[in-house]
Coordinates of all heavy atoms in Angstrom, one line a residue:
M1 N 59.6 99.5 151.7 CA 59.8 98.5 150.8 C 58.8 98.4 149.7 O 59.1 98.2 148.5 CB 59.8 97.1 151.6 CG 60.1 95.9 150.7 SD 61.8 96.0 150.2 CE 62.1 94.4 149.6
R2 N 57.5 98.6 150.0 CA 56.5 98.5 149.0 C 56.6 99.7 148.0 O 56.4 99.5 146.8 CB 55.1 98.6 149.8 CG 54.0 98.4 148.8 CD 52.7 98.4 149.6 NE 51.6 98.3 148.7 CZ 50.5 97.7 148.9 NH1 50.3 97.1 150.1 NH2 49.5 97.7 148.1
R3 N 57.0 100.8 148.5 CA 57.2 102.0 147.7 C 58.3 101.8 146.7 O 58.2 102.1 145.5 CB 57.4 103.2 148.5 CG 57.7 104.5 147.7 CD 58.1 105.6 148.6 NE 56.9 106.5 148.7 CZ 56.9 107.5 149.4 NH1 57.9 107.9 150.2 NH2 55.8 108.3 149.5
A4 N 59.4 101.1 147.1 CA 60.5 100.8 146.3 C 60.1 99.8 145.2 O 60.5 100.0 144.0 CB 61.7 100.3 147.1
L5 N 59.4 98.8 145.5 CA 58.9 97.8 144.6 C 58.0 98.5 143.5 O 58.1 98.2 142.3 CB 58.3 96.6 145.2 CG 59.2 95.7 146.0 CD1 58.4 94.6 146.7 CD2 60.2 95.1 145.1
R6 N 57.1 99.3 144.0 CA 56.2 100.0 143.1 C 57.0 100.9 142.1 O 56.8 100.9 140.9 CB 55.2 100.8 143.8 CG 54.2 101.6 142.9 CD 52.9 101.9 143.6 NE 52.1 100.8 143.8 CZ 51.4 100.1 142.9 NH1 51.5 100.4 141.7 NH2 50.6 99.1 143.3
W7 N 58.0 101.6 142.6 CA 58.8 102.4 141.8 C 59.6 101.6 140.7 O 59.6 102.0 139.6 CB 59.9 103.2 142.6 CG 60.9 103.9 141.8 CD1 60.7 105.2 141.3 CD2 62.1 103.5 141.3 NE1 61.8 105.5 140.5 CE2 62.7 104.5 140.6 CE3 62.9 102.3 141.5 CZ2 63.9 104.4 140.0 CZ3 64.1 102.2 140.9 CH2 64.6 103.2 140.1
L8 N 60.0 100.4 141.1 CA 60.8 99.6 140.2 C 60.0 98.9 139.1 O 60.4 98.9 138.0 CB 61.5 98.5 141.1 CG 62.5 97.6 140.4 CD1 63.7 98.4 139.9 CD2 63.0 96.5 141.3
F9 N 58.8 98.5 139.5 CA 57.9 97.8 138.5 C 56.8 98.5 137.9 O 56.1 97.9 137.0 CB 57.4 96.5 139.2 CG 58.5 95.5 139.6 CD1 58.9 95.3 140.9 CD2 59.2 94.8 138.6 CE1 59.9 94.5 141.2 CE2 60.2 94.0 138.9 CZ 60.6 93.8 140.2
E10 N 56.4 99.7 138.3 CA 55.2 100.4 137.8 C 55.4 100.8 136.4 O 56.5 101.4 136.0 CB 54.9 101.6 138.7 CG 53.5 102.2 138.3 CD 53.1 103.2 139.3 OE1 53.9 103.6 140.2 OE2 51.9 103.6 139.3
D11 N 54.4 100.6 135.6 CA 54.4 100.9 134.1 C 54.4 102.5 134.0 O 53.5 103.1 134.5 CB 53.2 100.4 133.5 CG 53.2 100.5 132.0 OD1 54.0 101.3 131.5 OD2 52.3 99.9 131.3
R12 N 55.5 103.0 133.4 CA 55.6 104.5 133.2 C 54.9 105.0 132.0 O 54.8 106.2 131.7 CB 57.0 104.9 133.1 CG 57.9 104.5 134.3 CD 57.5 105.2 135.6 NE 58.5 105.2 136.6 CZ 58.7 104.2 137.4 NH1 58.1 103.1 137.3 NH2 59.7 104.4 138.4
T13 N 54.4 104.0 131.1 CA 53.7 104.5 129.9 C 52.3 104.8 130.1 O 51.7 105.4 129.2 CB 53.9 103.4 128.8 OG1 53.3 102.2 129.2 CG2 55.3 103.2 128.5
T14 N 51.7 104.3 131.1 CA 50.3 104.6 131.5 C 50.2 105.1 132.9 O 51.2 105.0 133.6 CB 49.4 103.3 131.4 OG1 49.8 102.4 132.3 CG2 49.5 102.7 130.0
H15 N 49.1 105.6 133.3 CA 49.0 106.1 134.7 C 47.9 105.3 135.4 O 47.3 105.9 136.3 CB 48.6 107.6 134.6 CG 49.7 108.5 134.0 ND1 50.9 108.7 134.5 CD2 49.7 109.1 132.8 CE1 51.7 109.4 133.7 NE2 50.9 109.7 132.7
D16 N 47.8 104.1 135.1 CA 46.8 103.2 135.8 C 47.4 102.4 136.9 O 46.7 101.7 137.6 CB 46.2 102.3 134.8 CG 47.1 101.5 134.0 OD1 48.3 101.4 134.4 OD2 46.7 100.9 133.0
G17 N 48.7 102.5 137.2 CA 49.3 101.9 138.3 C 49.6 100.4 138.1 O 50.0 99.7 139.1
H18 N 49.6 99.9 136.9 CA 49.9 98.5 136.7 C 51.4 98.2 136.9 O 52.2 99.1 136.5 CB 49.5 98.1 135.2 CG 48.0 97.9 135.1 ND1 47.3 98.7 134.2 CD2 47.2 97.0 135.6 CE1 46.0 98.3 134.3 NE2 45.9 97.2 135.1
L19 N 51.6 97.1 137.4 CA 53.0 96.6 137.6 C 53.4 95.7 136.4 O 52.6 94.9 136.1 CB 53.2 95.9 138.9 CG 52.8 96.7 140.2 CD1 53.0 95.9 141.4 CD2 53.6 98.0 140.3
V20 N 54.6 95.9 135.9 CA 55.0 95.1 134.7 C 56.3 94.5 135.0 O 57.3 95.1 135.3 CB 55.2 96.0 133.5 CG1 55.7 95.2 132.3 CG2 53.8 96.7 133.1
V21 N 56.3 93.1 135.0 CA 57.6 92.4 135.1 C 57.8 91.7 133.8 O 58.9 91.6 133.3 CB 57.5 91.3 136.3 CG1 58.7 90.5 136.3 CG2 57.3 92.0 137.6
W22 N 56.7 91.1 133.2 CA 56.8 90.3 132.0 C 55.9 90.9 131.0 O 54.8 91.3 131.3 CB 56.4 88.9 132.3 CG 56.6 88.0 131.2 CD1 57.7 87.3 130.7 CD2 55.5 87.6 130.2 NE1 57.4 86.6 129.6 CE2 56.1 86.7 129.3 CE3 54.2 87.9 130.1 CZ2 55.4 86.2 128.2 CZ3 53.5 87.4 129.1 CH2 54.1 86.5 128.1
Q23 N 56.3 90.9 129.7 CA 55.4 91.4 128.6 C 55.5 90.3 127.5 O 56.5 89.6 127.4 CB 55.9 92.7 128.1 CG 55.7 93.9 129.1 CD 56.3 95.1 128.5 OE1 57.5 95.2 128.1 NE2 55.5 96.2 128.4
W24 N 54.6 90.3 126.6 CA 54.6 89.5 125.5 C 55.8 89.9 124.6 O 56.1 91.1 124.5 CB 53.3 89.6 124.7 CG 53.2 88.6 123.6 CD1 53.4 88.8 122.3 CD2 52.9 87.2 123.8 NE1 53.2 87.6 121.6 CE2 52.9 86.6 122.5 CE3 52.6 86.4 124.9 CZ2 52.6 85.3 122.3 CZ3 52.3 85.1 124.7 CH2 52.3 84.5 123.5
P25 N 56.6 88.9 124.1 CA 57.9 89.3 123.4 C 57.6 90.2 122.2 O 56.6 89.9 121.4 CB 58.4 87.9 123.0 CG 57.8 87.0 123.9 CD 56.5 87.5 124.3
N26 N 58.5 91.1 121.9 CA 58.4 91.9 120.7 C 59.2 91.2 119.6 O 59.8 90.2 119.8 CB 58.8 93.4 121.0 CG 60.3 93.4 121.5 OD1 61.0 92.4 121.5 ND2 60.6 94.6 122.0
V27 N 59.2 91.8 118.4 CA 59.8 91.2 117.3 C 61.3 90.8 117.5 O 61.7 89.6 117.3 CB 59.7 92.0 116.0 CG1 60.5 91.4 114.8 CG2 58.2 92.1 115.6
P28 N 62.2 91.7 118.0 CA 63.6 91.3 118.2 C 63.7 90.1 119.2 O 64.6 89.2 119.0 CB 64.2 92.5 118.8 CG 63.4 93.7 118.3 CD 62.0 93.1 118.3
L29 N 62.9 90.1 120.2 CA 63.0 88.9 121.2 C 62.5 87.7 120.5 O 63.0 86.6 120.8 CB 62.2 89.3 122.5 CG 62.5 88.4 123.7 CD1 64.0 88.4 124.0 CD2 61.7 88.9 124.9
W30 N 61.4 87.7 119.7 CA 61.0 86.5 118.9 C 62.1 86.0 118.0 O 62.3 84.8 117.9 CB 59.7 86.8 118.1 CG 58.5 86.7 118.9 CD1 57.6 87.6 119.2 CD2 58.0 85.5 119.6 NE1 56.5 87.1 120.0 CE2 56.8 85.8 120.2 CE3 58.4 84.2 119.6 CZ2 56.0 84.9 120.9 CZ3 57.7 83.2 120.4 CH2 56.5 83.6 121.0
V31 N 62.8 87.0 117.4 CA 63.9 86.5 116.5 C 64.9 85.7 117.4 O 65.4 84.7 116.9 CB 64.6 87.8 115.9 CG1 65.9 87.4 115.2 CG2 63.7 88.4 114.9
W32 N 65.3 86.2 118.5 CA 66.2 85.5 119.4 C 65.7 84.2 119.8 O 66.4 83.2 119.8 CB 66.6 86.4 120.6 CG 67.4 85.6 121.6 CD1 68.8 85.4 121.5 CD2 67.0 85.1 122.8 NE1 69.2 84.7 122.6 CE2 68.1 84.5 123.4 CE3 65.8 85.0 123.5 CZ2 68.1 83.8 124.6 CZ3 65.8 84.3 124.7 CH2 66.9 83.7 125.3
I33 N 64.4 84.1 120.2 CA 63.8 82.8 120.6 C 63.8 81.8 119.5 O 64.2 80.7 119.7 CB 62.3 83.1 121.1 CG1 62.3 83.9 122.4 CG2 61.6 81.8 121.3 CD1 61.0 84.4 122.8
V34 N 63.4 82.2 118.3 CA 63.4 81.3 117.2 C 64.8 80.9 116.8 O 65.1 79.7 116.6 CB 62.7 82.0 115.9 CG1 63.0 81.1 114.7 CG2 61.2 82.1 116.2
A35 N 65.8 81.8 116.9 CA 67.2 81.5 116.6 C 67.7 80.5 117.7 O 68.5 79.6 117.3 CB 68.0 82.7 116.5
A36 N 67.3 80.7 118.9 CA 67.8 79.8 120.0 C 67.3 78.3 119.7 O 68.0 77.4 119.9 CB 67.3 80.3 121.3
V37 N 66.0 78.2 119.3 CA 65.5 76.9 119.0 C 66.2 76.3 117.8 O 66.6 75.1 117.8 CB 64.0 77.0 118.8 CG1 63.4 75.7 118.3 CG2 63.3 77.4 120.1
L38 N 66.3 77.1 116.7 CA 66.9 76.6 115.5 C 68.4 76.3 115.7 O 68.9 75.4 115.1 CB 66.8 77.6 114.3 CG 65.4 77.8 113.8 CD1 65.4 78.9 112.7 CD2 64.8 76.6 113.2
G39 N 69.0 77.0 116.6 CA 70.4 76.8 116.9 C 70.7 75.4 117.5 O 71.8 74.9 117.3
R40 N 69.7 74.8 118.0 CA 69.9 73.5 118.6 C 70.0 72.4 117.5 O 70.6 71.4 117.7 CB 68.6 73.1 119.4 CG 68.5 73.9 120.7 CD 69.5 73.4 121.6 NE 69.2 73.9 123.0 CZ 70.1 73.8 123.9 NH1 71.2 73.2 123.8 NH2 69.8 74.2 125.1
F41 N 69.5 72.8 116.3 CA 69.6 71.8 115.2 C 70.5 72.2 114.1 O 70.9 71.3 113.3 CB 68.2 71.7 114.6 CG 67.1 71.3 115.6 CD1 66.2 72.3 116.0 CD2 67.0 70.1 116.1 CE1 65.3 72.0 117.0 CE2 66.1 69.8 117.1 CZ 65.2 70.7 117.5
A42 N 70.9 73.4 114.0 CA 71.8 73.9 112.9 C 73.2 73.6 113.3 O 73.7 73.8 114.4 CB 71.6 75.4 112.7
R43 N 74.0 73.2 112.3 CA 75.4 72.9 112.5 C 76.2 73.7 111.4 O 75.7 74.1 110.4 CB 75.7 71.4 112.3 CG 74.9 70.6 113.4 CD 75.6 70.8 114.7 NE 74.9 70.0 115.8 CZ 74.2 70.6 116.7 NH1 74.2 71.8 116.9 NH2 73.6 69.8 117.6
G44 N 77.5 73.8 111.7 CA 78.4 74.4 110.7 C 78.1 75.9 110.4 O 77.8 76.6 111.3
G45 N 78.2 76.2 109.1 CA 78.0 77.6 108.7 C 76.6 78.1 109.0 O 76.4 79.2 109.4
A46 N 75.6 77.2 108.8 CA 74.2 77.6 109.1 C 74.0 77.9 110.6 O 73.3 78.8 111.0 CB 73.3 76.5 108.7
G47 N 74.7 77.1 111.5 CA 74.7 77.3 112.9 C 75.2 78.7 113.3 O 74.7 79.4 114.1
T48 N 76.3 79.0 112.6 CA 76.9 80.3 112.9 C 76.0 81.5 112.5 O 75.9 82.4 113.2 CB 78.3 80.5 112.1 OG1 79.1 79.4 112.5 CG2 78.9 81.8 112.3
V49 N 75.4 81.3 111.3 CA 74.4 82.4 110.8 C 73.3 82.5 111.8 O 72.9 83.6 112.2 CB 73.9 82.0 109.4 CG1 72.8 82.9 109.0 CG2 75.1 82.2 108.4
V50 N 72.7 81.4 112.2 CA 71.6 81.4 113.2 C 72.0 82.1 114.5 O 71.3 82.9 115.1 CB 71.1 80.0 113.4 CG1 70.1 79.9 114.6 CG2 70.4 79.5 112.2
H51 N 73.2 81.7 115.0 CA 73.8 82.3 116.2 C 73.9 83.8 116.1 O 73.5 84.6 117.0 CB 75.1 81.7 116.6 CG 75.7 82.3 117.8 ND1 75.3 82.0 119.1 CD2 76.8 83.2 117.9 CE1 76.0 82.7 119.9 NE2 76.9 83.4 119.2
V52 N 74.4 84.3 115.0 CA 74.6 85.7 114.8 C 73.3 86.5 114.7 O 73.1 87.5 115.3 CB 75.5 86.0 113.5 CG1 75.4 87.5 113.1 CG2 76.9 85.5 113.7
I53 N 72.3 85.9 114.0 CA 71.0 86.5 113.9 C 70.4 86.6 115.3 O 69.8 87.6 115.6 CB 70.1 85.7 112.9 CG1 70.6 85.9 111.5 CG2 68.6 86.1 113.0 CD1 70.0 85.0 110.4
G54 N 70.5 85.5 116.0 CA 69.9 85.5 117.4 C 70.6 86.5 118.3 O 69.9 87.3 119.0
A55 N 71.9 86.7 118.2 CA 72.6 87.6 119.0 C 72.2 89.1 118.6 O 72.1 89.9 119.5 CB 74.1 87.5 118.8
V56 N 72.1 89.3 117.3 CA 71.6 90.7 116.9 C 70.2 90.9 117.4 O 69.9 92.1 117.9 CB 71.7 90.8 115.4 CG1 71.0 92.1 114.9 CG2 73.2 90.8 114.9
G57 N 69.3 90.0 117.3 CA 68.0 90.1 117.8 C 68.0 90.5 119.3 O 67.3 91.4 119.8
L58 N 68.8 89.7 120.1 CA 68.9 90.0 121.5 C 69.5 91.3 121.8 O 69.0 92.0 122.7 CB 69.6 88.9 122.2 CG 69.6 88.9 123.7 CD1 68.2 88.7 124.3 CD2 70.5 87.7 124.3
A59 N 70.5 91.7 121.1 CA 71.1 93.0 121.3 C 70.1 94.2 121.0 O 70.0 95.1 121.8 CB 72.4 93.2 120.5
V60 N 69.4 94.0 119.9 CA 68.4 95.0 119.6 C 67.3 95.1 120.7 O 66.9 96.2 121.1 CB 67.7 94.8 118.2 CG1 66.5 95.6 118.0 CG2 68.7 94.9 117.1
W61 N 66.9 94.0 121.2 CA 65.9 93.9 122.3 C 66.4 94.7 123.5 O 65.7 95.5 124.1 CB 65.5 92.5 122.6 CG 64.7 92.4 123.9 CD1 63.3 92.6 123.9 CD2 65.1 92.2 125.2 NE1 62.9 92.5 125.2 CE2 64.0 92.3 126.0 CE3 66.4 92.0 125.8 CZ2 64.1 92.1 127.4 CZ3 66.5 91.9 127.1 CH2 65.3 91.9 127.9
A62 N 67.7 94.4 123.8 CA 68.3 95.0 125.0 C 68.4 96.5 124.9 O 68.1 97.2 125.8 CB 69.7 94.3 125.3
V63 N 68.8 97.0 123.7 CA 68.9 98.4 123.5 C 67.6 99.0 123.6 O 67.4 100.1 124.2 CB 69.6 98.7 122.1 CG1 69.4 100.2 121.7 CG2 71.1 98.3 122.1
M64 N 66.5 98.4 123.0 CA 65.2 98.9 123.1 C 64.7 99.0 124.6 O 64.1 100.0 125.0 CB 64.2 98.1 122.3 CG 64.4 98.2 120.8 SD 63.4 97.1 119.8 CE 61.8 97.7 120.1
E65 N 65.0 98.0 125.4 CA 64.6 98.0 126.8 C 65.4 99.1 127.5 O 64.7 99.8 128.3 CB 64.9 96.7 127.4 CG 63.9 95.6 127.0 CD 62.5 95.9 127.4 OE1 62.3 96.5 128.5 OE2 61.6 95.4 126.7
V66 N 66.6 99.3 127.3 CA 67.4 100.4 128.0 C 66.8 101.7 127.6 O 66.6 102.6 128.5 CB 68.9 100.3 127.6 CG1 69.6 101.5 128.1 CG2 69.5 99.1 128.2
G67 N 66.5 101.9 126.3 CA 66.0 103.2 125.9 C 64.5 103.5 126.1 O 64.1 104.6 126.4
W68 N 63.7 102.5 126.0 CA 62.3 102.7 126.0 C 61.5 101.7 126.9 O 60.3 101.5 126.8 CB 61.7 102.6 124.6 CG 62.4 103.6 123.7 CD1 62.0 104.9 123.6 CD2 63.4 103.4 122.8 NE1 62.8 105.5 122.7 CE2 63.7 104.6 122.2 CE3 64.2 102.3 122.4 CZ2 64.7 104.8 121.2 CZ3 65.2 102.4 121.5 CH2 65.4 103.7 120.9
G69 N 62.2 101.0 127.9 CA 61.6 100.1 128.8 C 60.5 100.8 129.6 O 60.6 102.0 129.8
V70 N 59.4 100.1 129.9 CA 58.3 100.7 130.6 C 58.5 101.0 132.0 O 57.7 101.8 132.6 CB 57.0 99.8 130.4 CG1 56.6 99.6 129.0 CG2 57.2 98.5 131.1
N71 N 59.6 100.5 132.6 CA 59.9 100.8 134.0 C 61.3 100.6 134.3 O 62.1 100.0 133.4 CB 59.0 100.0 135.0 CG 59.1 98.5 134.8 OD1 60.2 98.0 134.4 ND2 58.1 97.7 135.0
P72 N 61.8 101.0 135.4 CA 63.3 100.9 135.7 C 63.7 99.4 135.7 O 64.9 99.1 135.3 CB 63.4 101.5 137.1 CG 62.3 102.5 137.2 CD 61.2 101.9 136.4
F73 N 62.9 98.5 136.1 CA 63.3 97.1 136.1 C 63.6 96.6 134.7 O 64.6 96.0 134.5 CB 62.2 96.2 136.7 CG 62.4 94.7 136.5 CD1 63.4 94.1 137.3 CD2 61.7 94.0 135.6 CE1 63.6 92.7 137.1 CE2 62.0 92.7 135.3 CZ 62.9 92.0 136.1
R74 N 62.7 97.0 133.8 CA 62.9 96.6 132.4 C 64.2 97.2 131.8 O 64.9 96.6 131.0 CB 61.7 96.9 131.5 CG 60.4 96.3 132.0 CD 60.4 94.8 131.7 NE 60.5 94.6 130.3 CZ 60.1 93.5 129.7 NH1 59.6 92.5 130.3 NH2 60.3 93.4 128.4
R75 N 64.4 98.5 132.2 CA 65.6 99.2 131.7 C 66.9 98.5 132.2 O 67.9 98.4 131.5 CB 65.5 100.6 132.0 CG 64.4 101.3 131.2 CD 64.3 102.8 131.5 NE 63.3 103.3 130.7 CZ 62.7 104.5 130.9 NH1 63.0 105.2 132.0 NH2 61.7 104.9 130.1
M76 N 66.8 98.2 133.5 CA 68.0 97.5 134.1 C 68.2 96.1 133.5 O 69.3 95.7 133.3 CB 67.8 97.4 135.6 CG 68.0 98.8 136.3 SD 68.0 98.6 138.1 CE 66.3 98.7 138.4
L77 N 67.1 95.4 133.3 CA 67.2 94.1 132.6 C 67.9 94.2 131.3 O 68.8 93.4 130.9 CB 65.8 93.5 132.5 CG 65.8 92.1 131.9 CD1 66.5 91.1 132.7 CD2 64.3 91.7 131.7
G78 N 67.5 95.2 130.5 CA 68.1 95.4 129.2 C 69.6 95.7 129.3 O 70.4 95.2 128.6
A79 N 69.9 96.6 130.3 CA 71.3 96.9 130.5 C 72.2 95.7 130.9 O 73.3 95.6 130.5 CB 71.4 98.0 131.6
V80 N 71.6 94.9 131.8 CA 72.3 93.7 132.2 C 72.6 92.7 131.0 O 73.7 92.2 130.8 CB 71.6 92.9 133.4 CG1 72.1 91.6 133.6 CG2 71.7 93.8 134.6
V81 N 71.6 92.5 130.2 CA 71.7 91.6 129.0 C 72.7 92.2 128.1 O 73.6 91.5 127.6 CB 70.3 91.4 128.4 CG1 70.5 90.7 127.0 CG2 69.4 90.6 129.3
L82 N 72.6 93.5 127.8 CA 73.5 94.2 126.9 C 74.9 94.1 127.4 O 75.9 93.8 126.7 CB 73.1 95.6 126.6 CG 73.8 96.3 125.4 CD1 73.6 95.6 124.1 CD2 73.2 97.7 125.3
G83 N 75.1 94.4 128.7 CA 76.4 94.4 129.3 C 77.0 93.0 129.3 O 78.2 92.8 129.0
S84 N 76.2 91.9 129.5 CA 76.8 90.6 129.5 C 77.1 90.2 128.1 O 78.1 89.4 127.9 CB 75.8 89.6 130.1 OG 74.6 89.5 129.3
M85 N 76.4 90.7 127.1 CA 76.8 90.4 125.7 C 78.1 91.1 125.3 O 79.0 90.4 124.7 CB 75.7 90.9 124.7 CG 74.4 90.1 124.8 SD 73.2 90.6 123.7 CE 73.8 89.9 122.2
V86 N 78.3 92.3 125.8 CA 79.6 93.0 125.5 C 80.7 92.3 126.2 O 81.8 92.1 125.6 CB 79.5 94.5 126.0 CG1 80.8 95.1 125.9 CG2 78.5 95.2 125.1
V87 N 80.5 91.9 127.5 CA 81.6 91.2 128.2 C 81.9 89.9 127.5 O 83.0 89.5 127.4 CB 81.2 91.0 129.7 CG1 82.1 90.0 130.4 CG2 81.2 92.3 130.4
G88 N 80.9 89.2 127.1 CA 81.1 87.9 126.4 C 81.9 88.1 125.1 O 82.7 87.3 124.8
L89 N 81.7 89.2 124.4 CA 82.4 89.5 123.2 C 83.9 89.8 123.5 O 84.8 89.4 122.8 CB 81.8 90.6 122.4 CG 80.6 90.3 121.6 CD1 80.0 91.6 121.0 CD2 80.8 89.3 120.5
L90 N 84.1 90.5 124.6 CA 85.4 90.9 125.0 C 86.2 89.7 125.6 O 87.5 89.7 125.4 CB 85.4 92.0 126.1 CG 84.8 93.4 125.6 CD1 84.7 94.3 126.8 CD2 85.7 94.0 124.5
V91 N 85.6 88.8 126.2 CA 86.3 87.7 126.8 C 86.6 86.6 125.8 O 87.7 86.0 125.8 CB 85.4 87.1 128.0 CG1 86.0 85.8 128.4 CG2 85.3 88.1 129.1
S92 N 85.7 86.4 124.8 CA 86.0 85.4 123.8 C 87.0 85.8 122.8 O 87.5 86.8 122.6 CB 84.7 85.0 123.2 OG 84.1 86.1 122.4

């Protein structure tokens, strides 16, 4: 079990054995966070623009995690977020 958890969470970009679950948000994730906050207050056309900007930021973050995540957990997290966004688009 311990070996599986280490495999899942160990940082692949360094060889120091650090485990990574959470990182400081990068620019696309900050865009999504700011859009989520602004979306609470924006209405009408402005609300739609804010929603689209946030969705694009989150999609870019998810693609970056799938392609360049520091460990399998981060890559799977990106894939789940991206997959749920695609399903949300197909269902709506």
Side-chain angles (χ1 to χ4, degrees):
M1 182 69 166
R2 185 176 178 148
R3 177 185 258 178
L5 288 175
R6 179 155 292 284
W7 174 85
L8 188 62
F9 294 109
E10 189 169 11
D11 186 347
R12 302 296 199 280
T13 61
T14 64
H15 298 290
D16 54 13
H18 284 115
L19 301 180
V20 177
V21 177
W22 183 86
Q23 294 175 302
W24 192 255
N26 56 13
V27 173
L29 197 55
W30 275 117
V31 167
W32 175 74
I33 291 167
V34 169
V37 171
L38 291 177
R40 294 288 194 186
F41 306 105
R43 300 286 178 247
T48 301
V49 170
V50 168
H51 177 75
V52 169
I53 290 170
V56 169
L58 188 60
V60 168
W61 172 84
V63 168
M64 289 174 68
E65 286 297 330
V66 169
W68 300 280
V70 298
N71 58 34
F73 170 75
R74 301 288 300 201
R75 291 180 179 161
M76 286 185 277
L77 180 63
V80 167
V81 169
L82 192 59
S84 67
M85 290 181 78
V86 169
V87 168
L89 285 172
L90 294 175
V91 171
S92 63

